[in-house]
Amino acid sequence: MSADDQAFLDVLSSLPGDIKRYSEDVANIVNENIDKIAESVRYTFATSQWVPEQIRPRLPPPAPLAEVSTSLYDRVEGWVLRNKALATAIVLATGTILYRSYTVNAYARKTRRARRARSGGRMDVVVIAGSPNLPLTRSVALDLERKGFIVFIVSSGPEDDIAIQNLARPDIRPLGVDTTDPLSASASIERFATYLQSPHAAVANSKRYRLHLKAVILIPSLNYQTSPIATIPPSGFANLFNTHLLHPIITLQAFLPLLTARLGPTPSAESSSSDKPDKKKDSPKIIVCTPSIISSINPPFHAPEATVCSALSAFTEVLTAELRPLAIPVTHIQLGTFDFAGFTPASTVREHWQERNPQGIPLRALEANPQDAEALLPWPDSARHAYGKNFVSQSSSAISAGRIRGMRGSSLRELHNAVFDVIDGSITKGTVRVGLGASVYGFVGRWVPRGLVAWMMGIRKVDELAAWQSSHSSFNSPRSGGSVRSMGSENEDEEEAGSGARTSDESFVAVPME
């Protein structure tokens, strides 16, 4: 058999296998199409309403879905992908809280000590222009002395000297400056400058060094009176501006020649540290501390404090502009509410927690019997009718007197740290807000409508005014807060002679402060 015959036989032998394979493929295709057609017909009959229920085919149950096991990471990732905006907000808020916590902890743990000479003596001097009877003055003075400063408190008389000596600190000393006599004040500043320029020694036979004036801190009075403007006599405004505004300005003015003189060598040259001198940090600082809560919102019946604090703020801004070319920083510390429990007598603390209003009426009585409390106000009948209701409402409100009732003020450590950082040069901002409510009330005073603030403090519209009364009968009534002589109708001799008898009429009860 030839080769051709063999090839033909091989082809014939492979035909059955090919035919079987092709027939199976055709059969599979036909079966799949028939199954699809059957499923389509079954679904059509099963969903058609015209087919009777008895012969309507039932659809097979759906195949169960395979459960895919996912890890916690996969679930979190899927949630983040589905909520991108919320996830971004959470990340930003968490990062801000962590950063804020870190900075606050680092700020609190910072070591704050004044520089000393090589011999260990104190060489940094701070002058506090404020009454030594104020808790804020005593608190700042004691803290600065504890941190290594020599503190001088401006004294205006023997009473202030005794109050300073009662602090029992050898490095807290009185500095007599009579601001009422310009020549005497100038002589006191010259003696103080000579003292700074004189060489000093910590112990006998040790190397001498010179003192360096680091800062002058102005602390005006924090106690103000509350009353309607119509009931404040002119003498009240005159005394207020003289003691709370003019006296601090004149005191600071007396120190300006000393601050601009740059007395003594650079303190870095004599200090034990080897850091490079910083002219900005070594220059003397001026720190002005003023209450900021009332002056931020300017509520009714607080004209004395709002006027004085706003004037001091404007004075500080002008002083900053004048001293900026001389590289003398001026910082305005706006104070909130602080807890002075350790610096006030026990009787004052008890009186504060008894919550009395500026007229001496307990706030609980105001809330229980507002009409009776309104009748107790020592004002003329017309003023009591026009302002009494709103005055009582504001006095008994939760945010009266520039604080939130029931909440203690911030710790004095915050103020101490801020003052030291300004002196040290760590804080270079022109305005620093410290204390409970300082930043919040600043925001409220700037952005919240004044009408809404007054409404929150209980101020309401007066529907009916009182009938007109002559000024003679109004000011000489038994309930009047003044007299005809207090308005200036009598001569000066009679006014001086009767000043002692009219003290209780023309004076006002100070607002209890922390």
Side-chain angles (χ1 to χ4, degrees):
M1 186 172 55
S2 62
D4 295 336
D5 296 336
Q6 185 63 36
F8 180 74
L9 292 175
D10 294 339
V11 172
L12 291 177
S13 62
S14 62
L15 286 176
D18 294 338
I19 293 173
K20 180 180 179 181
R21 184 174 66 255
Y22 293 148
S23 60
E24 289 179 354
D25 293 341
V26 172
N28 291 334
I29 294 174
V30 172
N31 290 335
E32 291 178 358
N33 292 325
I34 291 176
D35 291 340
K36 291 180 179 180
I37 294 172
E39 290 178 0
S40 177
V41 172
R42 186 184 300 109
Y43 180 79
T44 301
F45 281 100
T47 57
S48 298
Q49 299 297 329
W50 55 272
V51 179
E53 183 69 24
Q54 293 78 5
I55 63 174
R56 184 182 301 173
R58 298 182 179 278
L59 294 176
L65 298 176
E67 296 184 359
V68 180
S69 60
T70 57
S71 62
L72 178 62
Y73 175 81
D74 295 333
R75 292 196 295 270
V76 172
E77 183 181 8
W79 184 88
V80 170
L81 293 177
R82 292 191 303 271
N83 305 273
K84 294 182 179 180
L86 182 58
T88 302
I90 294 176
V91 170
L92 291 178
T94 305
T96 302
I97 293 174
L98 293 177
Y99 174 76
R100 181 63 179 172
S101 301
Y102 173 78
T103 54
V104 169
N105 293 333
Y107 180 79
R109 292 194 303 266
K110 176 183 175 181
T111 302
R112 296 175 171 86
R113 299 293 299 176
R115 293 176 296 184
R116 292 180 178 266
R118 294 181 183 273
S119 60
R122 302 182 181 223
M123 58 181 299
D124 288 342
V125 178
V126 174
V127 177
I128 299 180
S131 174
N133 296 318
L134 290 177
L136 184 61
T137 302
R138 299 198 303 270
S139 172
V140 173
L142 291 173
D143 180 75
L144 292 177
E145 188 272 341
R146 185 168 53 252
K147 291 177 179 176
F149 290 96
I150 300 176
V151 181
F152 285 88
I153 301 179
V154 176
S155 172
S156 58
E159 295 179 357
D160 292 344
D161 294 341
I162 295 175
I164 296 172
Q165 293 174 1
N166 290 336
L167 296 177
R169 294 292 189 275
D171 290 309
I172 299 180
R173 311 169 187 175
L175 177 60
V177 178
D178 187 5
T179 56
T180 60
D181 186 358
L183 296 179
S184 176
S186 178
S188 300
I189 297 300
E190 290 181 1
R191 289 193 298 268
F192 183 62
T194 303
Y195 172 79
L196 294 177
Q197 291 177 314
S198 301
H200 299 266
V203 294
N205 300 326
S206 63
K207 185 177 179 180
R208 295 181 175 271
Y209 57 91
R210 296 180 185 273
L211 302 179
H212 178 65
L213 180 61
K214 293 292 293 183
V216 174
I217 305 176
L218 178 63
I219 303 179
S221 177
L222 304 181
N223 297 325
Y224 292 89
Q225 304 152 352
T226 59
S227 183
I229 297 177
T231 62
I232 302 178
S235 59
F237 277 114
N239 295 333
L240 172 73
F241 295 149
N242 183 40
T243 58
H244 290 66
L245 181 60
L246 185 59
H247 180 72
I249 291 177
I250 294 177
T251 302
L252 187 57
Q253 183 186 35
F255 283 94
L256 289 180
L258 182 62
L259 294 171
T260 57
R262 301 297 177 90
L263 300 175
T266 303
S268 300
E270 299 185 6
S271 62
S272 57
S273 62
S274 59
D275 298 337
K276 185 177 179 180
D278 190 345
K279 180 180 178 180
K280 186 175 182 180
K281 289 189 176 182
D282 290 337
S283 60
K285 314 294 193 305
I286 297 178
I287 303 176
V288 180
C289 302
T290 60
S292 64
I293 294 180
I294 294 299
S295 60
S296 297
I297 59 178
N298 294 327
F301 315 119
H302 290 80
E305 181 174 355
T307 304
V308 171
C309 294
S310 299
L312 287 176
S313 299
F315 170 78
T316 304
E317 293 181 1
V318 175
L319 183 64
T320 303
E322 292 182 358
L323 298 183
R324 185 179 294 113
L326 304 179
I328 299 178
V330 180
T331 302
H332 184 197
I333 297 183
Q334 299 183 357
L335 305 176
T337 303
F338 295 94
D339 184 11
F340 290 100
F343 293 91
T344 54
S347 60
T348 305
V349 175
R350 288 194 300 268
E351 182 181 356
H352 166 68
W353 289 112
Q354 287 174 357
E355 299 284 352
R356 293 179 176 269
N357 83 319
Q359 305 299 332
I361 305 173
L363 294 183
R364 294 181 179 178
L366 294 179
E367 296 176 356
N369 301 307
Q371 298 298 332
D372 297 341
E374 181 180 346
L376 295 175
L377 296 175
W379 299 340
D381 294 337
S382 59
R384 189 168 59 256
H385 183 83
Y387 307 108
K389 183 178 181 180
N390 285 328
F391 182 84
V392 172
S393 299
Q394 179 179 275
S395 300
S396 59
S397 64
I399 56 176
S400 63
R403 58 183 174 82
I404 301 177
R405 192 187 316 147
M407 296 182 61
R408 286 183 175 271
S410 300
S411 173
L412 285 171
R413 182 177 299 178
E414 297 182 11
L415 177 61
H416 299 161
N417 294 341
V419 171
F420 183 90
D421 290 343
V422 172
I423 297 175
D424 181 64
S426 302
I427 296 179
T428 58
K429 297 186 296 183
T431 302
V432 180
R433 295 181 180 270
V434 184
L436 177 66
S439 300
V440 174
Y441 277 92
F443 175 83
V444 170
R446 177 170 296 187
W447 299 106
V448 178
R450 297 301 174 89
L452 178 60
V453 175
W455 181 84
M456 294 175 61
M457 300 184 74
I459 305 300
R460 298 294 184 268
K461 183 179 179 181
V462 178
D463 297 330
E464 184 180 358
L465 298 179
W468 167 258
Q469 295 180 0
S470 64
S471 59
H472 184 274
S473 61
S474 174
F475 280 91
N476 286 280
S477 61
R479 311 193 63 84
S480 174
S483 64
V484 176
R485 288 176 295 183
S486 66
M487 298 301 293
S489 61
E490 300 293 336
N491 55 37
E492 295 294 330
D493 295 337
E494 294 176 352
E495 195 167 329
E496 293 179 0
S499 58
R502 297 194 311 271
T503 302
S504 61
D505 291 336
E506 295 181 358
S507 62
F508 302 90
V509 180
V511 178
M513 301 294 291
E514 285 82 358

